[in-house]
Amino acid sequence: AKAGDIVKAGAPLFRLHTRHLAPQLAEAKGQLLSREAAVRSAEARVATAKAGQNEARINLGNAESMKDGRGLSVEEMTRRRTALESANAGVTAAEAAVAATRADVSAAGATVEVVSTDLARSTVTAPIDATVLQVKLRPGEAVIAGPVAQPYLLLGNTSPLHIRVDVDEHEAWRVMPHTAAEASVRGNAGLRASLRFVRFEPYVIPKASLTGAATERVDTRVLQIIYELDAAALRLFPGQQMDVFIQTDS
Protein backbone atom coordinates (compact mmCIF):
# COMPACT_ATOMS: atom_id res chain seq x y z
CA ALA A 1 0.00 0.00 0.00
CA LYS A 2 1.05 3.56 -0.65
CA ALA A 3 0.14 6.74 1.21
CA GLY A 4 -3.13 8.05 -0.16
CA ASP A 5 -4.47 4.66 -1.22
CA ILE A 6 -8.10 3.92 -0.36
CA VAL A 7 -8.32 0.32 0.84
CA LYS A 8 -11.15 -2.02 1.77
CA ALA A 9 -11.17 -4.22 4.87
CA GLY A 10 -9.08 -7.29 4.13
CA ALA A 11 -6.99 -5.65 1.41
CA PRO A 12 -3.24 -6.49 1.67
CA LEU A 13 -1.09 -3.68 3.04
CA PHE A 14 2.35 -5.31 3.06
CA ARG A 15 3.85 -8.79 2.98
CA LEU A 16 6.72 -10.31 4.88
CA HIS A 17 9.31 -12.49 3.14
CA THR A 18 8.09 -16.09 3.10
CA ARG A 19 11.00 -17.83 1.38
CA HIS A 20 11.60 -20.02 4.41
CA LEU A 21 7.93 -20.99 4.70
CA ALA A 22 7.35 -22.16 1.12
CA PRO A 23 9.75 -25.14 1.43
CA GLN A 24 8.26 -25.99 4.83
CA LEU A 25 4.78 -26.03 3.33
CA ALA A 26 5.90 -28.21 0.43
CA GLU A 27 7.57 -30.64 2.82
CA ALA A 28 4.53 -30.74 5.10
CA LYS A 29 2.21 -31.42 2.15
CA GLY A 30 4.56 -34.18 0.98
CA GLN A 31 4.45 -35.76 4.44
CA LEU A 32 0.66 -35.55 4.39
CA LEU A 33 0.43 -37.31 1.01
CA SER A 34 2.87 -39.98 2.16
CA ARG A 35 0.90 -40.67 5.33
CA GLU A 36 -2.39 -40.73 3.45
CA ALA A 37 -0.84 -43.39 1.18
CA ALA A 38 0.26 -45.28 4.29
CA VAL A 39 -3.35 -45.24 5.51
CA ARG A 40 -4.55 -46.76 2.25
CA SER A 41 -1.85 -49.41 2.45
CA ALA A 42 -2.79 -50.21 6.06
CA GLU A 43 -6.47 -50.44 5.10
CA ALA A 44 -5.54 -52.90 2.34
CA ARG A 45 -3.68 -55.02 4.91
CA VAL A 46 -6.82 -54.97 7.08
CA ALA A 47 -8.86 -56.24 4.13
CA THR A 48 -6.30 -59.01 3.51
CA ALA A 49 -6.23 -59.93 7.20
CA LYS A 50 -10.03 -60.08 7.32
CA ALA A 51 -10.08 -62.31 4.25
CA GLY A 52 -7.62 -64.67 5.97
CA GLN A 53 -9.72 -64.52 9.12
CA ASN A 54 -12.85 -65.42 7.17
CA GLU A 55 -11.08 -68.33 5.49
CA ALA A 56 -9.77 -69.65 8.82
CA ARG A 57 -13.25 -69.32 10.35
CA ILE A 58 -14.80 -71.28 7.45
CA ASN A 59 -12.14 -73.99 7.65
CA LEU A 60 -12.67 -74.43 11.37
CA GLY A 61 -16.46 -74.35 10.95
CA ASN A 62 -16.32 -77.05 8.28
CA ALA A 63 -14.19 -79.23 10.52
CA GLU A 64 -16.43 -78.74 13.54
CA SER A 65 -19.58 -79.48 11.49
CA MET A 66 -18.42 -82.96 10.49
CA LYS A 67 -20.68 -85.57 12.05
CA ASP A 68 -17.91 -88.09 12.18
CA GLY A 69 -15.28 -86.66 14.49
CA ARG A 70 -12.79 -89.11 13.12
CA GLY A 71 -12.70 -87.33 9.75
CA LEU A 72 -9.89 -85.00 10.98
CA SER A 73 -7.09 -85.63 13.37
CA VAL A 74 -6.74 -83.80 16.66
CA GLU A 75 -3.66 -82.13 15.29
CA GLU A 76 -5.57 -80.80 12.29
CA MET A 77 -8.36 -79.40 14.49
CA THR A 78 -5.76 -77.74 16.69
CA ARG A 79 -4.03 -76.31 13.64
CA ARG A 80 -7.29 -74.82 12.34
CA ARG A 81 -8.18 -73.29 15.69
CA THR A 82 -4.69 -71.83 15.95
CA ALA A 83 -4.98 -70.47 12.40
CA LEU A 84 -8.20 -68.67 13.32
CA GLU A 85 -6.66 -67.20 16.46
CA SER A 86 -3.67 -66.06 14.43
CA ALA A 87 -5.99 -64.51 11.82
CA ASN A 88 -7.93 -62.70 14.57
CA ALA A 89 -4.69 -61.32 15.95
CA GLY A 90 -3.64 -60.25 12.47
CA VAL A 91 -6.87 -58.31 11.97
CA THR A 92 -6.44 -56.58 15.35
CA ALA A 93 -2.84 -55.63 14.50
CA ALA A 94 -3.82 -54.37 11.04
CA GLU A 95 -6.64 -52.25 12.46
CA ALA A 96 -4.25 -50.80 15.07
CA ALA A 97 -1.84 -49.94 12.24
CA VAL A 98 -4.67 -48.12 10.42
CA ALA A 99 -5.45 -46.10 13.57
CA ALA A 100 -1.76 -45.21 13.95
CA THR A 101 -1.41 -44.10 10.33
CA ARG A 102 -4.59 -42.04 10.59
CA ALA A 103 -3.12 -40.32 13.64
CA ASP A 104 -0.01 -39.60 11.55
CA VAL A 105 -2.25 -38.08 8.87
CA SER A 106 -3.89 -35.83 11.48
CA ALA A 107 -0.46 -34.71 12.71
CA ALA A 108 0.73 -34.02 9.16
CA GLY A 109 -2.48 -32.11 8.42
CA ALA A 110 -1.95 -30.01 11.54
CA THR A 111 1.60 -29.21 10.38
CA VAL A 112 0.26 -28.10 6.98
CA GLU A 113 -2.32 -25.93 8.75
CA VAL A 114 0.31 -24.32 10.97
CA VAL A 115 2.60 -23.45 8.06
CA SER A 116 -0.36 -22.25 5.97
CA THR A 117 -1.44 -20.02 8.86
CA ASP A 118 2.07 -18.59 9.12
CA LEU A 119 1.95 -17.86 5.39
CA ALA A 120 -1.43 -16.16 5.74
CA ARG A 121 -0.21 -14.12 8.71
CA SER A 122 2.74 -12.94 6.63
CA THR A 123 0.33 -10.76 4.70
CA VAL A 124 -0.88 -7.85 6.83
CA THR A 125 -4.35 -6.71 5.78
CA ALA A 126 -6.46 -3.66 6.46
CA PRO A 127 -8.79 -4.16 9.45
CA ILE A 128 -11.28 -1.54 8.19
CA ASP A 129 -12.24 0.43 5.10
CA ALA A 130 -9.80 3.32 5.28
CA THR A 131 -7.34 5.67 3.62
CA VAL A 132 -3.62 4.96 4.03
CA LEU A 133 -2.34 8.12 5.73
CA GLN A 134 1.29 7.13 6.34
CA VAL A 135 3.64 4.34 5.27
CA LYS A 136 6.84 3.97 7.26
CA LEU A 137 8.06 0.74 5.69
CA ARG A 138 10.43 0.14 2.81
CA PRO A 139 11.19 -3.08 0.91
CA GLY A 140 13.83 -5.11 2.73
CA GLU A 141 13.30 -3.36 6.06
CA ALA A 142 13.13 -5.54 9.17
CA VAL A 143 9.95 -5.42 11.24
CA ILE A 144 9.38 -6.37 14.87
CA ALA A 145 6.55 -8.70 15.89
CA GLY A 146 5.53 -6.61 18.86
CA PRO A 147 4.82 -3.07 20.07
CA VAL A 148 6.83 -0.33 18.34
CA ALA A 149 7.23 3.37 19.08
CA GLN A 150 5.85 4.39 15.68
CA PRO A 151 3.30 2.37 13.69
CA TYR A 152 4.49 0.96 10.37
CA LEU A 153 1.31 2.19 8.67
CA LEU A 154 -1.33 4.68 9.71
CA LEU A 155 -4.91 4.16 8.51
CA GLY A 156 -7.92 6.36 8.97
CA ASN A 157 -11.47 6.77 7.78
CA THR A 158 -11.58 10.23 6.23
CA SER A 159 -15.16 10.20 5.02
CA PRO A 160 -16.47 12.05 6.87
CA LEU A 161 -13.71 13.95 8.62
CA HIS A 162 -13.96 14.44 12.37
CA ILE A 163 -12.29 17.04 14.52
CA ARG A 164 -11.29 16.62 18.17
CA VAL A 165 -11.70 19.88 20.08
CA ASP A 166 -9.96 20.64 23.37
CA VAL A 167 -12.00 22.86 25.70
CA ASP A 168 -10.37 24.13 28.88
CA GLU A 169 -11.97 22.47 31.89
CA HIS A 170 -12.80 25.92 33.30
CA GLU A 171 -14.92 26.63 30.21
CA ALA A 172 -16.36 23.13 29.77
CA TRP A 173 -19.55 23.97 31.67
CA ARG A 174 -20.46 26.50 28.97
CA VAL A 175 -20.52 23.95 26.14
CA MET A 176 -23.82 22.23 25.41
CA PRO A 177 -24.53 19.44 22.92
CA HIS A 178 -25.90 20.37 19.51
CA THR A 179 -24.97 24.04 19.81
CA ALA A 180 -23.68 25.77 16.70
CA ALA A 181 -19.96 25.49 16.03
CA GLU A 182 -17.61 26.16 13.16
CA ALA A 183 -13.94 25.65 12.38
CA SER A 184 -11.58 27.89 10.45
CA VAL A 185 -8.37 26.97 8.69
CA ARG A 186 -5.23 28.22 10.36
CA GLY A 187 -3.51 30.66 8.05
CA ASN A 188 -6.75 31.60 6.32
CA ALA A 189 -9.56 32.40 8.71
CA GLY A 190 -11.86 33.04 5.79
CA LEU A 191 -11.98 29.31 5.05
CA ARG A 192 -14.65 28.09 7.44
CA ALA A 193 -16.70 24.93 7.83
CA SER A 194 -19.72 24.18 9.99
CA LEU A 195 -19.49 21.42 12.60
CA ARG A 196 -22.00 18.81 13.75
CA PHE A 197 -21.82 17.61 17.34
CA VAL A 198 -21.04 13.88 17.67
CA ARG A 199 -20.18 13.25 21.32
CA PHE A 200 -18.28 14.29 24.42
CA GLU A 201 -15.25 12.33 25.53
CA PRO A 202 -16.49 12.12 29.12
CA TYR A 203 -13.09 11.99 30.84
CA VAL A 204 -11.18 15.24 31.36
CA ILE A 205 -7.50 14.75 30.50
CA PRO A 206 -4.28 16.77 30.55
CA LYS A 207 -3.91 18.72 27.35
CA ALA A 208 -1.22 17.52 25.00
CA SER A 209 1.26 20.12 23.87
CA LEU A 210 0.82 19.96 20.10
CA THR A 211 4.51 20.10 19.26
CA GLY A 212 4.81 16.58 17.87
CA ALA A 213 6.28 15.09 21.06
CA ALA A 214 3.83 12.56 22.44
CA THR A 215 5.13 12.88 26.01
CA GLU A 216 4.96 16.66 26.35
CA ARG A 217 2.22 18.12 28.58
CA VAL A 218 1.16 21.58 29.60
CA ASP A 219 -0.42 22.55 32.90
CA THR A 220 -4.00 22.49 31.56
CA ARG A 221 -6.76 19.92 31.64
CA VAL A 222 -9.31 19.75 28.87
CA LEU A 223 -12.63 18.24 27.91
CA GLN A 224 -12.51 16.75 24.44
CA ILE A 225 -15.48 17.06 22.07
CA ILE A 226 -15.83 15.25 18.76
CA TYR A 227 -17.47 17.06 15.86
CA GLU A 228 -18.14 15.97 12.32
CA LEU A 229 -16.63 18.39 9.84
CA ASP A 230 -18.59 19.59 6.82
CA ALA A 231 -15.57 20.32 4.65
CA ALA A 232 -16.87 19.72 1.13
CA ALA A 233 -15.63 23.13 -0.03
CA LEU A 234 -12.33 23.05 1.88
CA ARG A 235 -9.10 21.27 1.13
CA LEU A 236 -8.28 19.71 4.48
CA PHE A 237 -5.91 16.95 5.54
CA PRO A 238 -6.10 14.50 8.46
CA GLY A 239 -4.00 15.74 11.37
CA GLN A 240 -4.38 19.38 10.41
CA GLN A 241 -4.94 21.85 13.27
CA MET A 242 -7.89 24.23 13.11
CA ASP A 243 -9.41 26.98 15.21
CA VAL A 244 -12.89 26.11 16.48
CA PHE A 245 -15.59 28.53 17.61
CA ILE A 246 -18.52 27.19 19.68
CA GLN A 247 -21.67 29.18 20.24
CA THR A 248 -22.60 29.61 23.92
CA ASP A 249 -25.36 31.39 25.78
CA SER A 250 -23.02 33.25 28.11
Side-chain angles (χ1 to χ4, degrees), residues 47-132:
T48 301
K50 286 184 175 180
Q53 181 190 48
N54 189 50
E55 180 181 4
R57 185 182 293 112
I58 291 172
N59 289 338
L60 180 60
N62 290 339
E64 290 177 340
S65 64
M66 288 182 180
K67 295 180 179 180
D68 187 359
R70 294 173 297 176
L72 292 174
S73 65
V74 174
E75 291 81 1
E76 179 62 18
M77 291 294 294
T78 301
R79 186 188 69 79
R80 293 193 181 192
R81 290 191 180 95
T82 302
L84 179 57
E85 292 174 356
S86 177
N88 291 339
V91 169
T92 300
E95 289 176 342
V98 169
T101 53
R102 285 177 178 167
D104 289 341
V105 167
S106 297
T111 301
V112 170
E113 184 67 22
V114 168
V115 180
S116 298
T117 300
D118 287 341
L119 275 170
R121 292 176 61 197
S122 296
T123 299
V124 177
T125 59
I128 58 172
D129 295 349
T131 299
V132 180

Side-chain angles (χ1 to χ4, degrees), residues 163-174:
I163 186 167
R164 183 180 298 269
V165 181
D166 288 344
V167 177
D168 190 292
E169 63 179 341
H170 300 297
E171 304 286 345
W173 63 271
R174 303 177 62 187

Side-chain angles (χ1 to χ4, degrees), residues 2 5 14-15 32 52 59 79 99-100 103 110 113 127 129 140 142 147-148 162 186 211 215 221 223 229 244:
K2 301 182 296 297
D5 287 352
F14 66 90
R15 292 185 176 90
L32 179 59
N59 289 338
R79 186 188 69 79
E113 184 67 22
D129 295 349
V148 292
H162 290 83
R186 288 192 174 183
T211 61
T215 57
R221 296 177 63 82
L223 172 70
L229 186 63
V244 174

Side-chain angles (χ1 to χ4, degrees), residues 140-199:
E141 183 177 349
V143 296
I144 299 173
V148 292
Q150 294 291 334
Y152 295 125
L153 284 93
L154 183 63
L155 305 179
N157 185 354
T158 59
S159 180
L161 284 173
H162 290 83
I163 186 167
R164 183 180 298 269
V165 181
D166 288 344
V167 177
D168 190 292
E169 63 179 341
H170 300 297
E171 304 286 345
W173 63 271
R174 303 177 62 187
V175 181
M176 300 297 176
H178 310 298
T179 56
E182 63 177 5
S184 64
V185 177
R186 288 192 174 183
N188 188 347
L191 296 177
R192 293 174 175 266
S194 60
L195 303 178
R196 184 182 66 83
F197 177 84
V198 176
R199 70 178 186 274

